[in-house]
């Protein structure tokens, strides 16, 4: 039927017009060669720039892995308590970590924790300033928002291609891929949180003669903290999800175990490592949510 219709129509209306194959080949080759030339020319500079990141990651990983497990557990329980102030969440976190250790995944979990910690810190350092700049300029927001849309909708595997071409295979390339994937939520929610600050509060700050910096530091950021914490929470969750994908380019820990289980069809190993990731995600999620709720209550009390 379709071929009959096409017999009465011009070819242009039946066969979708596509760019010439030879032209596309030339374009692809030009872009790929330019990219490889850039990497060859600046490879040493790039390696030097990421060296501090490599050193910090190695140091944190060694700290988590080599420290006695009981000290790590006490430190984790203390951090969870200080953020959540909820003894049930602390007990749940300790029991989860004990179960992870009992099934032989303690060391891999520590490696994953180190990676997620570094990724979260980098995302906070990069994301919050960008979110603040976006909140203060509609023009910057209109430029950054499409970039964030691309970052959040691009399939996570695609991130690995340019990262591997520039940085090669290893922990740092995986780390960079995870940060690219995980940083958009904290940027968006920092921007949103600052923009949602009550206008009357800002007018009151203006009336008291506050400068732009004083309004930002003393009014806007404190009031936006619950929303910013929600962004940090989302960043941590996305880091944990991306750790498995990044294991394809050399990131160790639980993600590598999951990848090996997929390759060798080890059902039990895959699920145990998956559940360990879920347990870590729940610990981070509950603790950060509880902290966000505390901040929200504090804000409501302060501002009636």
């Amino acid at each position: 039927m379709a071929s009959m219709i096409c017999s009465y129509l011009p070819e242009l209306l039946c066969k979708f017009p596509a760019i010439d194959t030879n032209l596309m080949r030339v374009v692809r080759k030009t872009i790929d060669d330019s990219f490889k030339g850039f990497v060859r020319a600046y490879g040493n500079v790039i390696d030097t720039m990421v060296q501090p990141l490599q050193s910090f990651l190695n140091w944190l990983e060694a700290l988590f892995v080599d420290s006695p497990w009981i000290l790590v557990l006490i430190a984790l329980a203390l951090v969870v308590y200080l953020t959540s102030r909820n003894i049930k969440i602390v007990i749940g976190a300790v029991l989860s970590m004990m179960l992870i250790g009992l099934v032989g995944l303690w060391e891999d979990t520590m490696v994953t924790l180190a990676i997620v910690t570094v990724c979260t810190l980098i995302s906070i350092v990069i994301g919050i300033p960008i979110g603040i700049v976006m909140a203060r300029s509609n023009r910057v927001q209109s430029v950054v928002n499409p970039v964030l849309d691309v970052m959040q909708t691009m399939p996570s595997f695609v991130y690995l291609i340019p990262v591997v071409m520039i940085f090669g295979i290893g922990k740092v390339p995986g780390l960079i891929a995870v940060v690219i994937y995980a940083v958009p939520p904290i940027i968006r929610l920092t921007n949103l949180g600052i923009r949602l600050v009550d206008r009357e509060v800002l007018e009151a700050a203006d009336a008291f003669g506050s400068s732009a910096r004083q309004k930002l530091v003393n009014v806007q950021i404190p009031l936006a903290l619950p929303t910013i914490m929600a962004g940090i929470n989302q960043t941590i969750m996305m880091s944990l999800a991306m750790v498995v994908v990044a294991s394809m380019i050399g990131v160790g820990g639980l993600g590598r175990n999951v990848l090996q289980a997929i390759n060798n069809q080890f059902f039990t190993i895959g699920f145990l490592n998956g559940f360990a990731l879920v347990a870590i995600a729940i610990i981070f999620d509950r603790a950060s949510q509880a902290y966000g709720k505390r901040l929200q209550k504090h804000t409501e009390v302060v501002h009636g």
Side-chain angles (χ1 to χ4, degrees):
M1 182 68 182
S3 58
M4 280 182 60
I5 295 173
C6 283
S7 64
Y8 295 101
L9 291 174
E11 185 181 354
L12 183 64
L13 298 179
C14 286
K15 185 179 179 183
F16 199 90
I19 299 173
D20 182 64
T21 309
N22 291 330
L23 177 61
M24 283 300 297
R25 189 180 300 118
V26 171
V27 171
R28 285 201 302 265
K29 190 173 185 306
T30 304
I31 294 173
D32 289 347
D33 289 348
S34 301
F35 206 72
K36 289 174 184 173
F38 172 81
V39 174
R40 277 195 293 270
Y42 297 100
N44 292 333
V45 177
I46 293 168
D47 287 343
T48 306
M49 287 172 64
V50 299
Q51 189 57 45
L53 193 58
Q54 175 85 57
S55 302
F56 180 57
L57 178 59
N58 289 341
W59 174 79
L60 194 65
E61 193 176 302
L63 178 68
F64 283 2
V65 173
D66 296 338
S67 298
W69 67 269
I70 187 68
L71 291 182
V72 176
L73 201 58
I74 291 171
L76 180 73
L78 191 61
V79 170
V80 172
Y81 178 73
L82 290 175
T83 50
S84 67
R85 301 292 172 86
N86 186 324
I87 198 66
K88 290 180 181 176
I89 297 176
V90 176
I91 293 171
V94 170
L95 288 177
S96 300
M97 295 302 292
M98 292 288 288
L99 285 173
I100 288 172
L102 286 174
V103 296
L105 296 175
W106 182 264
E107 189 170 319
D108 292 319
T109 302
M110 291 301 105
V111 174
T112 301
L113 275 179
I115 295 167
V116 172
T117 302
V118 175
C119 289
T120 305
L121 290 176
I122 294 172
S123 298
I124 290 172
V125 170
I126 294 173
I128 290 181
I130 295 176
I132 291 171
V133 174
M134 284 176 69
R136 303 182 77 170
S137 167
N138 290 331
R139 185 172 296 177
V140 173
Q141 181 180 245
S142 65
V143 172
V144 176
N145 262 340
V147 177
L148 296 179
D149 291 340
V150 172
M151 290 169 73
Q152 289 190 290
T153 52
M154 182 79 75
S156 52
F157 287 98
V158 178
Y159 286 123
L160 303 181
I161 299 170
V163 170
V164 168
M165 287 182 73
I166 296 174
F167 301 102
I169 290 175
K171 292 178 188 172
V172 172
L175 196 73
I176 292 169
V178 174
V179 170
I180 293 171
Y181 184 74
V183 77
I186 193 169
I187 297 175
R188 285 190 190 279
L189 288 172
T190 300
N191 174 34
L192 180 67
I194 292 175
R195 284 179 181 272
L196 288 179
V197 171
D198 195 338
R199 190 172 293 277
E200 291 181 1
V201 177
L202 296 177
E203 288 173 356
D206 287 331
F208 281 102
S210 301
S211 64
R213 182 179 173 281
Q214 286 173 328
K215 272 197 304 183
L216 177 68
V217 174
N218 299 326
V219 180
Q220 290 174 303
I221 290 181
L223 291 176
L225 265 181
T227 311
I228 295 172
M229 277 305 301
I232 294 173
N233 183 347
Q234 289 300 308
T235 294
I236 294 171
M237 296 301 111
M238 293 183 75
S239 298
L240 281 167
M242 187 64 183
V243 159
V244 177
V245 178
S247 64
M248 295 175 66
I249 59 172
V251 172
L254 298 169
R256 182 179 58 189
N257 294 349
V258 172
L259 185 66
Q260 289 174 348
I262 293 170
N263 290 334
N264 298 299
Q265 300 180 18
F266 292 151
F267 175 81
T268 309
I269 292 176
F271 264 77
L272 283 176
N273 284 274
F275 279 125
L277 282 167
V278 170
I280 296 172
I282 290 174
I283 292 170
F284 279 124
D285 181 62
R286 297 294 181 271
S288 57
Q289 274 194 20
Y291 184 63
K293 286 177 183 174
R294 280 176 50 217
L295 288 175
Q296 190 80 46
K297 285 180 182 174
H298 175 72
T299 304
E300 289 171 358
V301 169
V302 170
H303 298 280

